[in-house]
Amino acid sequence: MDNKNMNIPDLIRKYEQMRYMNKKFYFTADEFEIIANHYIKDLNNPQALSAIDLAMSIHPHSPELMMAKAKVLIATEKYDEAYNYLLTIAQDETSVDLLLLKFECLIKLNRTEEANAYLTYILGGELNEKDHYIFINKLAFLYNNEEGFETAIMLLEKAREID
């Protein structure tokens, strides 16, 4: 998705015009993802979920839209539902965004044993060096935000070894 060449306010305006005038406009999966992320950032989760539901009816097999739906579920604190939904996304285990969403759910659900076992598996897995660094760095901040300071420190030390 190339956000740099898209005029996001115009895209949002076009989407809202479609909704309010009850017209049909075509949006790509990437455009719907931008629209949903806009509403998530504005903390307008009902609008985000509405956009994603419409998007999924047009682009039902888009992993990006499925992850956007999981983000909305997480934003509305439906962590268990979000985690179960994330397990249905057909993407490999090297998608850093997917892994981070799964970990966010596990951490919020206080499923630390499962999160730690999964972390051990991922750290010994197949992420390339760049993705490995991004993953452990962002995950460290997730753990830090949830006061998992020991794990956060360990992850940041591993990130420092890489960079």
Side-chain angles (χ1 to χ4, degrees):
M1 165 174 36
D2 188 11
N3 292 348
K4 293 177 180 116
N5 295 331
M6 291 194 160
N7 188 337
I8 295 173
D10 286 345
L11 183 63
I12 301 302
R13 215 174 354 269
K14 181 180 173 184
Y15 172 75
E16 290 179 352
Q17 178 184 15
M18 175 196 74
R19 288 187 55 246
Y20 294 121
M21 296 179 71
N22 201 22
K23 291 188 174 188
K24 301 284 183 193
F25 296 139
Y26 178 78
F27 294 95
T28 66
D30 287 345
E31 289 171 330
F32 269 122
E33 183 183 5
I34 291 167
I35 292 166
N37 283 329
H38 166 79
Y39 288 123
I40 292 169
K41 287 178 187 167
D42 283 353
L43 302 177
N44 192 341
N45 296 320
Q47 280 285 30
L49 193 55
S50 176
I52 290 168
D53 287 342
L54 176 60
M56 296 295 291
S57 71
I58 298 168
H59 308 285
H61 303 294
S62 169
E64 291 80 14
L65 290 173
M66 293 174 85
M67 287 195 293
K69 183 173 182 172
K71 287 179 190 177
V72 174
L73 292 171
I74 290 168
T76 56
E77 299 180 0
K78 297 177 182 175
Y79 305 116
D80 202 33
E81 186 179 340
Y83 184 71
N84 290 332
Y85 185 73
L86 287 165
L87 294 176
T88 68
I89 298 175
Q91 237 186 354
D92 65 18
E93 288 296 314
T94 60
S95 168
V96 173
D97 293 331
L98 180 62
L99 291 171
L100 289 170
L101 289 173
K102 286 180 180 179
F103 270 97
E104 185 170 358
C105 292
L106 291 173
I107 292 167
K108 295 284 189 177
L109 291 168
N110 291 319
R111 291 164 63 176
T112 52
E113 280 185 35
E114 190 175 344
N116 290 337
Y118 196 35
L119 178 59
T120 302
Y121 169 75
I122 298 299
L123 291 178
E126 303 172 2
L127 291 176
N128 64 45
E129 189 173 347
K130 178 184 173 192
D131 287 344
H132 184 79
Y133 174 77
I134 291 168
F135 171 73
I136 61 176
N137 202 23
K138 288 183 178 184
L139 186 59
F141 288 103
L142 279 175
Y143 271 102
N144 186 59
N145 290 341
E146 295 302 314
E147 298 181 3
F149 302 121
E150 288 179 23
T151 305
I153 290 168
M154 180 269 301
L155 290 168
L156 287 172
E157 286 174 350
K158 284 186 177 291
R160 189 181 60 186
E161 288 172 11
I162 295 170
D163 186 27

